[in-house]
Amino acid sequence: MTPTAEPGEGPGDGTGLRADAERNRDRVLAAARRLYATEGLRVSMAAVAREAGVGKATLARRFATREDLITAVFADRMDAYAAAVRTSLADPDPWRGFTGYVEAVCAMQAADRGFADVLTMTFPAAKALEAARAEAYDGFVTLIARAQAAGRLRADFVPEDLVLLLMANAGVVAATADAAPDAWRRLVGHLIRSYAAPDAPLAPLPESPTPTALYRATILLGRPHT
């Protein structure tokens, strides 16, 4: 008995079927990127299917699990995450390398709410994502050691502090993205100051969001999700 095909994946000579399947896969990935970027990873698989204009069965054939979809959507961003630590390790100034990496990763979070979630979660079955995460973590440990040896980073800073920073930044990004999209920069500036040793050079603090922007952010934060 021949399985019922989704629209756009009907029978043919095989070549057309593969092309239709690839187009549906691209539509699903594009839809997931849009939704994850604006709403975070709380988006359901059903919502992704609706946004892509495909049936749930088509989505399930392309991506059997939520982790499969997340891996496909964020593979390039996780590669960029790992590349950022390599760039920072190449900086001859240990403190600048450390702060540059912190700022780069927080900027990645701010640019994509879904990626902000990915950086504060683990996906044990997503081997590619976790390999990039492990590379970035190992590189960051080296950045810490270099900055501390140079006397620029506080001796009590530990790698787990980056996890706390990313969680805090993800929360600020989610709360202020629509009303004060640069608010995260102020948070990161304050946190870098808290990590610095007494003689570390510090850049000026980014400007604070206006009271009006923060008030609007609190109003939006209090609205129920639809």
Side-chain angles (χ1 to χ4, degrees), residues 69-97:
L69 180 58
I70 290 170
T71 298
V73 168
F74 292 105
D76 59 340
R77 289 165 177 77
M78 285 302 288
D79 288 343
Y81 178 52
V85 80
R86 293 194 292 269
T87 298
S88 293
L89 286 169
D91 193 318
D93 184 316
W95 176 243
R96 189 172 60 203

Side-chain angles (χ1 to χ4, degrees), residues 5 39 41 44 54 56 69 80 113 115 138 143 158 165 183 189 197 213 217:
E39 300 182 35
L41 298 188
S44 68
V54 301
K56 293 179 183 178
L69 180 58
R113 285 182 60 184
F115 190 59
D138 291 343
L143 287 173
V158 294
L165 182 155

Side-chain angles (χ1 to χ4, degrees), residues 129-140:
L129 288 189
E130 295 308 315
R133 191 194 309 277
E135 179 185 351
Y137 177 84
D138 291 343
F140 186 63

Side-chain angles (χ1 to χ4, degrees), residues 84-198:
V85 80
R86 293 194 292 269
T87 298
S88 293
L89 286 169
D91 193 318
D93 184 316
W95 176 243
R96 189 172 60 203
F98 172 85
T99 59
Y101 178 69
V102 168
E103 290 167 352
V105 173
C106 289
M108 291 179 190
Q109 284 189 303
D112 187 324
R113 285 182 60 184
F115 190 59
D117 291 343
V118 167
L119 288 183
T120 58
M121 301 167 68
T122 57
F123 303 90
K127 302 302 182 184
L129 288 189
E130 295 308 315
R133 191 194 309 277
E135 179 185 351
Y137 177 84
D138 291 343
F140 186 63
V141 170
T142 301
L143 287 173
I144 292 171
R146 291 175 58 205
Q148 288 174 335
R152 302 303 196 188
L153 178 63
R154 286 174 47 158
D156 58 356
F157 184 92
V158 294
E160 291 74 20
D161 289 326
L162 177 65
V163 179
L164 295 176
L165 182 155
L166 293 177
M167 287 179 174
N169 193 53
V172 168
V173 167
T176 64
D178 295 325
D182 288 329
W184 68 272
R185 297 184 186 278
R186 181 80 172 184
L187 169 72
V188 173
H190 277 301
L191 289 175
I192 285 175
R193 276 169 160 66
S194 75
Y195 305 150

Side-chain angles (χ1 to χ4, degrees), residues 175-176 179 211-223:
T176 64
T212 299
L214 286 180
Y215 178 74
R216 181 167 179 262
T218 61
I219 295 297
L220 294 175
L221 190 62
R223 291 179 180 173

